[in-house]
Amino acid sequence: MSTFRYSVGPWNVHSGADSYGPAVRDEIPFEEKIVRFKELGFDGIQFHDDDAVPDMNNMTEKQIINAAKDVKALLDKNGLEAEFVAPRLWMDPHTIDGGFTSNSKEDREFAMWRAYRSIDIANALGAKNIVLWLAREGTLCYESKSPVENTRRLLDAVNGMLAYDPKIRIMIETKPNEPVDRSACPTLGHCMAISYASGDPSRVGGLLESAHAMLAGLDPASEIGFALAMGKLWSVHLNDQNGMKFDQDKSFGVENLRTAFNQIKVLKENGYGSRGEFIGLDVKVMRTEKQEGSYKHLENSLRIAKALEEKAARFDYAFQKKCVEKRDYEALEMYVVELLMGLK
Ligand code: GLO
Ligand code: MG
């Protein structure tokens, strides 16, 4: 029995286009994806603003809200909950140089317009959270922006959103690089600092993605633990990554099984999910998969996560305590590896 509720975004099933080659599978319509997500065992859906309302730039504020209400009806019909809405501030011609930290005032205003509309969409979908994945907030050319001003602009944007809606919560999804070289908010430590410097720290928290922590050379379970200690871990994007290279979004646990186990273990030990938090699986299927394999990575990630939940439930805390008392960490480490290998 799983103790967690799992969530996923429509971008996690995609046609396989990357920077070096075109699509290799057909696009699957949104309605079809969400039916399948439910069948696979997901309870939550994550949205970009324009996943919910595709042509939003050319719509009035009222039209945007009405379109989002139709999506809410679709979610209700399928027994699904909207977890968050993220303004997609990296695709638009207005956000080539970033959104909140763009050097253009007009483009910064556009970014805020999208952030406010994302809050409207979240309210229409019944989602309590906005996610800020700050994809292009940072620099490609270091001298093009001031790191001090970048940080202040980011804080101003967060404060603007808090003021726009008295209830909405903001979760910053930190990532150190890609597509920018140096990000304005690379780790959960930075996110916590922004939270405490904001107008309402109780409404600004973090979303930790495993791969993003690894890209920063950090351990995802420890990043999760740090934010949990602050009471500010409000979502996670579990996936996997082979070292510090491009963001791979591999299925959860396929590269670093022990690290994956420790992520599940720290979430479980600290009652993650008891305040409605979801475990998001931000994974992508390999480009080599055929059409019928479009959901394989989601099935695999869920299977691995649930198997690791069971391993965490079986973890022998009495033995761990004994090892700690004797300072016999070799024995403890061997126990963990044997547990993961199915020898315990
Ligand atoms: C990319 C991010 C991305 C976000 C998503 C939600 O590196 O992980 O997938 O999670 O766009 O904002
Ligand atoms: Mg992510």
Side-chain angles (χ1 to χ4, degrees):
M1 241 313 259
S2 175
T3 46
F4 298 125
R5 293 190 305 159
Y6 289 86
S7 63
V8 61
W11 62 87
N12 294 120
V13 172
H14 69 117
S15 57
D18 67 14
S19 312
Y20 304 97
V24 290
R25 293 179 293 272
D26 298 334
E27 268 303 340
I28 298 176
F30 173 71
E31 287 80 354
E32 203 178 312
K33 286 183 188 176
I34 67 163
V35 171
R36 189 91 176 89
F37 289 156
K38 183 71 189 178
E39 280 168 10
L40 289 174
F42 289 95
D43 292 310
I45 304 293
Q46 311 175 344
F47 288 90
H48 295 130
D49 50 1
D50 57 359
D51 289 326
V53 186
D55 195 26
M56 61 184 291
N57 278 353
N58 302 314
M59 292 164 76
T60 65
E61 293 165 16
K62 202 158 170 259
Q63 285 170 331
I64 292 172
I65 293 171
N66 286 338
K69 282 183 182 158
D70 293 342
V71 179
K72 165 79 169 136
L74 200 65
L75 292 179
D76 288 347
K77 199 175 101 190
N78 288 283
L80 288 159
E81 194 178 304
E83 182 192 4
F84 67 67
V85 178
R88 186 160 12 206
L89 293 179
W90 53 93
M91 288 284 196
D92 201 277
H94 289 97
T95 54
I96 288 171
D97 191 26
F100 309 131
T101 64
S102 170
N103 277 328
S104 146
K105 183 166 180 282
E106 193 196 326
D107 292 348
R108 289 198 302 276
E109 282 166 7
F110 170 79
M112 287 314 291
W113 185 83
R114 287 284 291 252
Y116 296 144
R117 297 301 71 76
S118 294
I119 296 174
D120 294 344
I121 294 170
N123 285 332
L125 293 177
K128 297 186 185 71
N129 309 298
I130 293 297
V131 160
L132 300 181
W133 172 43
L134 302 164
R136 297 192 194 278
E137 313 297 354
T139 56
L140 292 172
C141 165
Y142 189 74
E143 294 77 11
S144 66
K145 292 177 183 174
S146 146
V148 175
E149 194 160 49
N150 266 354
T151 309
R152 290 195 181 131
R153 282 184 171 158
L154 183 56
L155 192 54
D156 286 348
V158 166
N159 283 333
M161 285 178 248
L162 293 173
Y164 179 75
D165 184 303
K167 286 218 180 78
I168 202 78
R169 299 196 315 174
I170 298 166
M171 318 198 267
I172 300 179
E173 178 178 350
T174 53
K175 186 176 182 182
N177 59 278
E178 200 196 31
V180 284
D181 180 13
R182 296 170 173 95
S183 156
C185 194
T187 70
L188 280 188
H190 293 81
C191 163
M192 297 299 122
I194 295 280
S195 166
Y196 285 112
S198 76
D200 187 353
S202 74
R203 290 195 287 134
V204 184
L207 180 160
L208 191 274
E209 173 162 324
S210 324
H212 297 181
M214 292 181 208
L215 287 172
L218 297 172
D219 170 56
S222 304
E223 281 278 271
I224 287 174
F226 175 75
L228 283 169
M230 305 284 157
K232 287 184 183 295
L233 187 80
W234 299 342
S235 190
V236 289
H237 273 176
L238 300 188
N239 58 12
D240 213 347
Q241 172 75 21
N242 175 26
M244 294 167 80
K245 49 185 80 165
F246 61 94
D247 188 4
Q248 295 179 300
D249 293 333
K250 296 194 76 163
S251 291
F252 180 55
V254 295
E255 287 287 341
N256 302 281
L257 189 60
R258 183 171 170 193
T259 305
F261 167 69
N262 281 314
Q263 290 172 72
I264 293 288
K265 181 168 168 286
V266 72
L267 290 169
K268 204 170 161 60
E269 284 170 352
N270 290 280
Y272 182 84
S274 59
R275 286 162 298 275
E277 305 93 332
F278 284 94
I279 289 189
L281 295 172
D282 198 1
V283 289
K284 294 218 168 72
V285 85
M286 291 179 219
R287 191 165 185 268
T288 43
E289 270 312 305
K290 306 201 177 68
Q291 188 71 24
E292 57 275 19
S294 296
Y295 294 87
K296 237 186 231 173
H297 58 312
L298 290 171
E299 285 179 85
N300 292 349
S301 295
L302 266 180
R303 177 139 186 250
I304 294 168
K306 288 180 180 174
L308 290 176
E309 278 189 58
E310 273 173 37
K311 295 276 180 195
R314 280 187 27 222
F315 185 79
D316 188 345
Y317 285 93
F319 181 73
Q320 184 253 8
K321 192 162 171 264
K322 248 191 252 155
C323 291
V324 170
E325 275 161 14
K326 286 194 282 177
R327 214 174 69 200
D328 191 353
Y329 300 159
E330 286 287 353
L332 180 55
E333 188 158 76
M334 192 59 188
Y335 163 71
V336 173
V337 174
E338 286 191 337
L339 178 70
L340 293 178
M341 290 197 302
L343 302 174
K344 284 274 175 206

